[in-house]
């Protein structure tokens, strides 16, 4: 499930060429910077509701709305009919497809969002790929850098495989859902249609159409009056 086509419908991005010659989907992360340099056609067709900062090396498609306080540092390519909401921070080397949502106080760097992907509330997305209609709940963080030295590894056939990436957040397949306040640890791969429940700390691979949830039970007791 590590090939680009295993996770993503490549028809749901205008930037499918970035996956050319990628044996593993994460290899595209190594190419984002050079791809943008080659394919960036500077131009702003967006609407601003308020004041936004937009860097020099930025392209934004028609129908996209930037709300007050947005900062797009660039280089970045942003598609059509997106919502870039209040105080969103889009850093270096970001590709955002059509119909995407980048929400309030969300930060994105060196990442690719397929069409209709959503990171709508207080999210961090670093060195990651979000597939078609992938969705992050409020407060979801994608950790992209491990505490210990060395590249990020992914388990293949029971053995750690070096991705060649010092920074690698997550790959979310088409339609994947991640619940509020979940954390995806470096090198997480979430299959198509898979679901991660709120508050889960996830690492490594979740196959397509599987659900990851905490087993901890919630204790309910009778509320007793307290003395003055």
């Amino acid at each position: 499930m590590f090939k680009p086509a295993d996770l993503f419908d490549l028809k749901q991005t205008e930037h499918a060429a970035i996956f050319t010659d990628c044996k593993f989907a994460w290899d595209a992360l190594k190419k984002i910077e050079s791809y943008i340099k080659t394919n960036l056609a500077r131009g702003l067709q967006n609407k601003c509701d308020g004041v936004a900062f937009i860097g020099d090396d930025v392209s934004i498609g028609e129908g996209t709305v930037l709300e007050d306080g947005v900062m797009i540092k660039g280089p970045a390519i942003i598609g059509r009919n997106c919502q870039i909401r209040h105080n969103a921070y889009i850093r270096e080397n970001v590709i955002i497809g059509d119909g995407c949502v980048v929400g309030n106080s969300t930060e994105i760097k060196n990442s690719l969002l397929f069409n209709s992907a959503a990171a709508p509330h207080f999210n961090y997305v670093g060195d990651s790929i979000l597939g078609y209609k992938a969705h992050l709940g409020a407060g979801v963080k994608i950790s992209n850098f491990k505490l210990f030295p060395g590249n990020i590894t992914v388990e293949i056939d029971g053995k750690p495989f070096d991705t060649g990436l010092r920074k690698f957040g997550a790959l979310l397949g088409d339609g994947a859902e991640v619940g509020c306040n979940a954390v995806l640890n470096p090198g997480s791969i979430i299959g198509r249609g898979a679901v991660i429940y709120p508050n889960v700390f996830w690492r490594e691979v979740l196959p397509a159409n599987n659900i990851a949830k905490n087993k901890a039970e919630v204790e309910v007791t009778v509320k007793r009056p307290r003395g003055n």
Side-chain angles (χ1 to χ4, degrees), residues 107-120:
E107 178 179 348
I108 302 180
K109 57 88 63 174
N110 197 63
S111 294
L112 166 64
L113 276 61
F114 276 67
N115 297 341
S116 302

Side-chain angles (χ1 to χ4, degrees), residues 131-179:
Y132 173 59
K133 290 189 174 180
H135 177 267
L136 303 182
V140 171
K141 304 296 187 290
I142 301 179
S143 176
N144 62 334
F145 188 74
K146 66 179 184 178
L147 297 176
F148 301 103
N151 292 336
I152 308 299
T153 61
V154 172
E155 188 173 295
I156 299 180
D157 297 328
K159 298 180 180 179
F161 179 86
D162 187 346
T163 63
L165 292 164
R166 186 70 181 100
K167 292 186 176 182
F168 171 18
L171 308 177
L172 273 67
D174 296 338
E177 292 272 355
V178 183

Side-chain angles (χ1 to χ4, degrees), residues 6-141:
D6 292 338
L7 292 162
F8 310 120
D9 179 355
L10 298 182
K11 295 179 181 178
Q12 290 294 338
T13 176
E14 293 186 357
H15 310 284
I18 199 170
F19 293 98
T20 301
D21 298 325
C22 289
K23 181 178 180 181
F24 302 107
W26 59 74
D27 290 332
L29 296 171
K30 307 170 187 176
K31 301 166 65 177
I32 291 177
E33 181 177 4
S34 61
Y35 178 88
I36 292 176
K37 284 182 179 179
T38 301
N39 294 277
L40 178 66
R42 297 175 183 83
L44 307 178
Q45 302 181 58
N46 60 286
K47 175 185 176 182
C48 283
D49 285 346
V51 178
F53 173 88
I54 304 173
D56 294 332
D57 294 328
V58 177
S59 170
I60 305 178
E62 186 176 0
T64 290
V65 177
L66 275 57
E67 295 184 0
D68 192 57
V70 167
M71 180 173 187
I72 304 175
K73 197 172 181 182
I77 299 174
I78 299 173
R80 300 175 290 270
N81 302 314
C82 296
Q83 299 177 41
I84 313 297
R85 295 175 178 166
H86 179 63
N87 285 347
Y89 181 25
I90 298 174
R91 289 170 52 193
E92 304 88 351
N93 305 317
V94 173
I95 301 172
I96 295 174
D98 297 338
C100 292
V101 178
V102 178
N104 175 34
S105 300
T106 290
E107 178 179 348
I108 302 180
K109 57 88 63 174
N110 197 63
S111 294
L112 166 64
L113 276 61
F114 276 67
N115 297 341
S116 302
H121 312 283
F122 304 101
N123 304 120
Y124 176 71
V125 180
D127 301 278
S128 298
I129 302 174
L130 275 58
Y132 173 59
K133 290 189 174 180
H135 177 267
L136 303 182
V140 171
K141 304 296 187 290

